[in-house]
Amino acid sequence: MNKPEAKKRVIQLREQISEMRYKYHVLDDPEISDEVYDSLTRELKKIEADFPELKDPNSVLDRVGGQPLDKFVKVTHNARMLSLNDVFSFEELQSWQDRIQKLVPGKNFSYFAELKLDGLAISLIYENGILIRAATRGDGMIGEDVTLNARTINSIPLTLSGKFPQTLEVRGEVVMSKKVFERLNKAFAKNNKPLLANTRNSAAGSMRQLDPKLAASRSLDFFAYDIVELSPEYSPPILGGARGGLNFHHEEHQLLRNFGFQVDKHEVIAKDIIALEKFINDIQIKRLKFEYGTDGVVISVNDLSLHE
């Protein structure tokens, strides 16, 4: 195989492997056997070994790269990572709605409700479709750079899919599944190691490992839930029947899926408090059977123009 042929084959293999990873880790719909996936991966590794100049730092093979860190670097968020206000009754939810209606009198709007996964909130920044930084929430303005650990999570795309903007900031939750939590604790108990406390602390602690290989061994997952920054010149595809800029939060979720992110499927557009109450009660009934730990429901006004 000469270099032009190798270059062409490398591009094909990376596209195939990326598509398989997306279907397996994001859509939970593997279309191909492990044997075929391993065969393609081995072929790509061999070509990159034979032609080192074709290696790519953002290759699908390079999820665990870099040496262990001495410490985490502090980074400043472009926009504050806000905490949520809690309500514990439908009366409090009604009061929240009343306050909104006083702020925007006469305005008709809908709500968007989604599951709140119990993990560690992080921010991901992409430039020209490539992941360049991942950071923890920290105090809201200053977090820690955890890019190397984020790269080990298969459901975080190293490169975006589809038509993507020049600059994109995504926020979401790093989580550990209940199944992985139980598997790790069985292994820890067998080796007389301290047990993990819960899935939330386990996800957070795993992301704060200074050695990315240790973080990778924890089999973490990621669910995106918000777009904070999108290049102003970017014109997204038709979403929700509207062309051009995003108007609603539910459109952000659809765009995140288009980019290749995993977004939790438990969500609803609600026209009033009654519809929200139905969604919340339904989540309460089902939550113990969910694969991941949860911490309630996040409710926001769906119209993005009202968020500020």
Side-chain angles (χ1 to χ4, degrees), residues 229-277:
E229 183 180 358
L230 193 67
S231 299
E233 72 279 3
Y234 176 71
S235 179
I238 295 175
L239 294 171
R243 182 182 293 276
L246 300 177
N247 298 311
F248 301 100
H249 185 42
H250 78 264
E251 294 176 344
E252 291 183 318
H253 275 214
Q254 183 55 52
L255 191 55
L256 286 166
R257 292 183 174 103
N258 291 352
F259 288 149
F261 289 97
Q262 180 173 225
V263 180
D264 187 73
K265 63 183 179 180
H266 299 94
E267 56 184 38
V268 68
I269 301 171
K271 65 178 182 179
D272 53 31
I273 294 293
I274 296 173
L276 289 175
E277 184 174 357

Side-chain angles (χ1 to χ4, degrees), residues 34-162:
D34 290 342
E35 290 78 11
V36 174
Y37 177 85
D38 291 341
S39 174
L40 296 176
T41 302
R42 284 196 301 271
E43 183 182 356
L44 179 55
K45 286 180 178 178
K46 185 178 186 309
I47 296 175
E48 289 187 349
D50 293 341
F51 298 88
E53 64 273 24
L54 297 180
K55 294 192 73 171
D56 181 354
N58 294 294
S59 169
V60 291
L61 300 180
D62 195 25
R63 286 238 167 219
V64 185
Q67 298 299 314
L69 302 173
D70 294 325
K71 63 179 180 179
F72 288 111
V73 176
K74 300 291 185 182
V75 295
T76 301
H77 296 296
N78 296 330
R80 181 181 289 276
M81 293 186 71
L82 301 172
S83 57
L84 299 171
N85 291 326
D86 294 330
V87 298
F88 298 97
S89 69
F90 290 108
E91 289 76 19
E92 289 180 276
L93 190 59
Q94 181 66 56
S95 297
W96 173 70
Q97 177 181 254
D98 293 342
R99 292 196 299 273
I100 294 173
Q101 290 178 330
K102 288 180 180 178
L103 290 172
V104 285
K107 178 78 174 181
N108 292 322
F109 52 83
S110 61
Y111 301 97
F112 188 79
E114 56 196 289
L115 190 64
K116 186 179 185 302
L117 293 167
D118 201 13
L120 177 73
I122 66 169
S123 162
L124 303 174
I125 294 181
Y126 291 80
E127 294 288 349
N128 298 312
I130 296 173
L131 176 66
I132 64 165
R133 194 186 80 187
T136 63
R137 179 181 179 274
D139 64 3
M141 278 306 300
I142 299 176
E144 293 178 320
D145 189 322
V146 289
T147 307
L148 292 180
N149 289 344
R151 288 175 61 88
T152 71
I153 301 175
N154 281 300
S155 47
I156 291 181
L158 301 183
T159 57
L160 300 176
S161 302

